[in-house]
Amino acid sequence: MLTHLTIKNYALIEDLSVSFQKGFSTITGETGAGKSIFLGGLSLVLGKRADLSSLRDKELKCIIEAEFEIEQYGLKSLFETYDLDYDQRTILRREIHPNGKSRAFVNDSPVNLDVMSQLGQRLIDIHSQHQTLELTENEFQLKVIDALANNSQLLSTYKEHLKVFEGAQKELKRLQTLLADAEKEQDYNTFLYSELHNAPLQGGILEELEASYDELTNVESILEQLSNSHQLLANDEIGIQALLAQCKLSISKLAGYGAAYAGLYERIQSVFLELDDLSSEIETLQEQVTPNPGLLEEVNEKLQLLYNLQKKHNAATIEELLLVKEDLATKISTSENIEHEMEAQQALITTTQKELTLLAGKLYERRIAVVPTLKSKLESSLQPLGMPNASFEIKFIHTESFQNTGRDQLIFEFSANRGAGYGSLKKVASGGELSRIMLVIKSILATYEKLPTMMFDEIDTGVSGEISNNMGDIMQQMSANMQVFSITHLPQVASKGDHHFKVYKEDDGEVTRTRMKKLSPEERVVELAEMLGGKSLSDSAMAHAKQLLN
């Protein structure tokens, strides 16, 4: 419920502050007094885009602040979704700055316009003759029927299953694309994996093969150097061993002359034994090292294979090639894993589809059951509004596809005159008829669900007399369950309000300002009399005004 509205520096409004109560409030004022300005300011705090030209003083910012009592609207989850502080008395504030920037706040927390708009739609429904297109939309018409059928919980369960169903369908499609891509690369990946699998990819193998290759390609030089080394060590006349044997013999003769000479002898003996062992090892290597063209070719082939694989996979080491091999093995097994995931998603789709079919069927049955009630309520409520022959034809087509509202396509047709054919509301109903139909539908909805504050903007344009009186009665009846505002030019409607506000212009000779005030009982009589007979305030107009109020 809207409890207070403040508008500063907006169009002709310099500073407006007004409080509202529950029940039915009527708002009147002469043409051009600023009722549309009042609505424009309110729309800004409900999330409408700002226009810099609406600033009264271009040097100051415009501020619109609306306070609501929201306890009965069930909005805690919405506040939690957007991480906003929840308060039963919630304030929406909008600021438009001279530099063109706009800021929005909910309980002093900054929000974007989308959040403010979502919240605003749940708090106030502004309806005028030019805003009846919603009535012609299938989704809104279904909403009316679902309200009468008390389908809220059933529809919520259906939407939860639909979300799972559509998610599973989307995931299955993704997996199918993934599998198709994987299958395209399957043969190539298998070939690459086979190459790596058959290659000798042991740790250190590259260094070992490179060493073998160097040895096998230089075997003649190795044998030559080994032979020379063996000659230098083992030649009988000039070999190192023969010369060292002579040296050892000489030193052995000194060994008995003291510890120093004995030490020398032991060291020479040690060197002699080491050289003898070295000579034997060189001789053994000479016997082992032999030219082997076959082995050289085999080692060269393995090296070239590893070099090529490193180049192909941009790998610097054998370890990196092993990682590539592991990755290819994963890719090859991906197809099999994807198929298992696809089976799981298909099973989920099948299960959820059965549940959706069952829930959609229940929705259809409950909707069909309330059609006669809705048809009767609409037609009987429109009779006193100057539409005595209004008739509706409401039918359902059960479709195969799952929509957000079920599987029902609604055919909602209207005829204003007896004997005339039925047609869609958009085609056969006039603007005035659409307004009255919307008023009746909103009044019906008000008895079945908690609606936001309703603001009717001159929907009674073009009607008069008893019809306007009956429209006022409907809005007054609605206000028993909700807060209702009516901006009106008709005294019959204005007199029905529990509270009466007047919008007027004030001119001090220099500037014109739009004001708004709540009328006292005496002021209401005068206002209604002026609406009935003009500024002259005849006795008959005053009497008629009092009669309307009583």
Side-chain angles (χ1 to χ4, degrees):
M1 182 180 82
L2 177 63
T3 59
H4 196 84
L5 179 66
T6 301
I7 302 176
K8 295 181 179 181
N9 195 38
Y10 177 75
L12 294 179
I13 298 175
E14 183 177 65
D15 191 348
L16 174 69
S17 182
V18 59
S19 295
F20 301 105
Q21 296 79 34
K22 63 181 179 179
F24 185 27
S25 296
T26 56
I27 301 173
T28 60
E30 294 179 0
T31 300
K35 297 187 295 296
S36 61
I37 297 174
F38 163 75
L39 272 184
L42 181 60
S43 296
L44 284 177
V45 86
L46 299 178
K48 183 183 175 182
R49 294 283 172 187
D51 183 357
L52 194 58
S53 64
S54 62
L55 267 65
R56 175 183 174 85
D57 186 335
K58 306 300 181 184
E59 302 299 318
L60 301 175
K61 67 180 177 181
C62 166
I63 300 174
I64 301 98
E65 191 170 275
E67 183 177 313
F68 297 87
E69 288 183 2
I70 66 170
E71 183 180 9
Q72 56 193 344
Y73 292 118
L75 295 175
K76 282 188 177 179
S77 60
L78 184 65
F79 275 70
E80 289 171 359
T81 299
Y82 293 108
D83 195 25
L84 298 172
D85 293 331
Y86 178 84
D87 195 321
Q88 292 179 13
R89 299 185 74 84
T90 282
I91 297 175
L92 274 60
R93 187 171 83 255
R94 188 80 180 278
E95 297 178 357
I96 298 100
H97 294 257
N99 60 8
K101 291 184 178 179
S102 168
R103 301 181 70 192
F105 302 86
V106 175
N107 291 334
D108 287 330
S109 296
V111 297
N112 59 39
L113 277 190
D114 181 57
V115 174
M116 177 165 271
S117 178
Q118 286 190 52
L119 185 56
Q121 289 172 14
R122 305 279 289 273
L123 296 174
I124 295 186
D125 182 359
I126 298 177
H127 175 67
S128 71
Q129 266 207 354
H130 307 292
Q131 295 168 312
T132 52
L133 285 180
E134 182 185 37
L135 177 60
T136 66
E137 295 172 357
N138 194 268
E139 188 171 346
F140 177 78
Q141 294 165 357
L142 273 175
K143 178 183 175 182
V144 175
I145 289 175
D146 284 331
L148 267 69
N150 194 24
N151 280 342
S152 176
Q153 187 58 51
L154 183 60
L155 195 56
S156 177
T157 304
Y158 169 86
K159 287 180 178 179
E160 288 174 5
H161 281 77
L162 182 63
K163 186 177 180 180
V164 174
F165 178 73
E166 291 176 339
Q169 283 186 317
K170 185 177 180 180
E171 178 63 10
L172 179 61
K173 189 174 181 179
R174 186 189 72 83
L175 291 170
Q176 287 170 337
T177 302
L178 199 62
L179 180 62
D181 293 340
E183 286 177 342
K184 287 178 185 176
E185 300 177 2
Q186 186 80 350
D187 292 342
Y188 183 58
N189 287 337
T190 301
F191 168 73
L192 293 177
Y193 177 81
S194 180
E195 273 189 330
L196 293 171
H197 181 71
N198 294 326
L201 299 182
Q202 300 84 18
I205 186 66
L206 198 60
E207 294 78 5
E208 184 181 325
L209 287 172
E210 287 173 340
S212 296
Y213 179 81
D214 288 342
E215 182 180 3
L216 289 167
T217 52
N218 295 285
V219 65
E220 292 182 359
S221 176
I222 291 171
L223 285 172
E224 181 181 349
Q225 299 307 322
L226 286 174
S227 176
N228 289 340
S229 299
H230 190 262
Q231 284 291 325
L232 288 171
L233 284 171
N235 187 281
D236 289 340
E237 296 180 1
I238 59 170
I240 295 174
Q241 284 178 295
L243 294 173
L244 190 59
Q246 294 178 19
C247 180
K248 186 179 79 167
L249 179 62
S250 298
I251 295 300
S252 67
K253 294 176 181 179
L254 301 175
Y257 297 148
Y261 301 109
L264 275 176
Y265 178 76
E266 288 177 2
R267 290 170 66 188
I268 290 174
Q269 176 67 15
S270 176
V271 170
F272 186 81
L273 291 173
E274 181 65 22
L275 284 175
D276 186 54
D277 185 57
L278 224 93
S279 177
S280 299
E281 189 169 338
I282 290 172
E283 190 173 14
T284 301
L285 285 172
Q286 276 184 289
E287 295 171 356
Q288 291 177 348
V289 176
T290 57
N292 191 339
L295 181 59
L296 175 61
E297 185 177 357
E298 181 182 336
V299 169
N300 185 50
E301 286 177 357
K302 288 182 179 180
L303 275 175
Q304 291 307 314
L305 172 63
L306 293 176
Y307 290 152
N308 290 338
L309 288 173
Q310 283 182 311
K311 184 177 180 180
K312 177 184 285 188
H313 297 286
N314 195 26
T317 64
I318 297 298
E319 286 70 21
E320 289 183 20
L321 280 178
L322 287 169
L323 290 174
V324 172
K325 178 184 174 184
E326 184 179 333
D327 184 54
L328 286 168
T330 302
K331 287 181 178 179
I332 292 169
S333 63
T334 294
S335 296
E336 188 175 329
N337 294 336
I338 291 175
E339 288 174 353
H340 287 315
E341 289 182 41
M342 286 172 61
E343 289 173 5
Q345 291 301 322
Q346 187 59 62
L348 180 58
I349 288 171
T350 302
T351 302
T352 313
Q353 190 172 19
K354 289 179 181 177
E355 290 292 331
L356 282 173
T357 301
L358 183 64
L359 291 167
K362 289 181 179 178
L363 282 170
Y364 173 74
E365 291 171 2
R366 293 167 70 106
R367 287 166 175 169
I368 284 289
V370 299
V371 164
T373 301
L374 176 60
K375 177 177 163 62
S376 175
K377 284 179 178 289
L378 284 173
E379 292 171 355
S380 62
S381 298
L382 286 170
Q383 286 179 11
L385 299 184
M387 299 172 68
N389 298 315
S391 178
F392 292 86
E393 191 71 34
I394 304 172
K395 295 181 290 187
F396 288 95
I397 298 175
H398 205 53
T399 64
E400 291 301 316
S401 60
F402 295 108
Q403 307 299 325
N404 196 45
T405 52
R407 298 175 73 176
D408 301 325
Q409 174 105 27
L410 179 62
I411 299 175
F412 198 100
E413 294 184 323
F414 169 72
S415 173
N417 303 300
R418 185 179 287 115
Y422 288 95
S424 67
L425 283 169
K426 189 182 295 185
K427 292 181 180 179
V428 302
S430 68
E433 288 170 340
L434 283 174
S435 288
R436 280 174 272 177
I437 294 170
M438 179 62 97
L439 173 61
V440 167
I441 284 179
K442 296 285 187 181
S443 70
I444 294 171
L445 281 175
T447 62
Y448 288 92
E449 62 178 38
K450 191 64 186 176
L451 295 178
T453 290
M454 192 69 60
M455 187 162 291
F456 294 104
D457 179 21
E458 298 184 355
I459 66 162
D460 47 25
T461 299
V463 299
S464 60
E466 190 61 27
I467 295 175
S468 62
N469 192 59
N470 293 335
M471 291 182 76
D473 284 339
I474 291 176
M475 288 185 268
Q476 189 178 50
Q477 290 162 13
M478 288 176 66
S479 69
N481 301 311
M482 59 191 293
Q483 187 184 40
V484 178
F485 289 88
S486 177
I487 298 174
T488 181
H489 285 292
L490 299 179
Q492 292 87 348
V493 175
S495 65
K496 303 285 184 182
D498 301 309
H499 320 283
H500 190 158
F501 295 85
K502 181 177 181 177
V503 178
Y504 60 99
K505 282 183 180 178
E506 186 178 78
D507 191 339
D508 62 5
E510 294 183 3
V511 294
T512 301
R513 300 178 179 85
T514 289
R515 305 283 194 188
M516 183 178 184
K517 68 175 182 178
K518 185 178 180 181
L519 300 180
S520 66
E522 294 77 15
E523 289 172 327
R524 286 192 76 179
V525 173
V526 174
E527 175 69 7
L528 291 174
E530 289 183 353
M531 293 174 74
L532 287 163
K535 296 288 184 179
S536 60
L537 291 180
S538 64
D539 290 341
S540 61
M542 291 290 286
H544 192 183
K546 291 176 181 178
Q547 184 181 6
L548 285 176
L549 286 172
N550 292 327

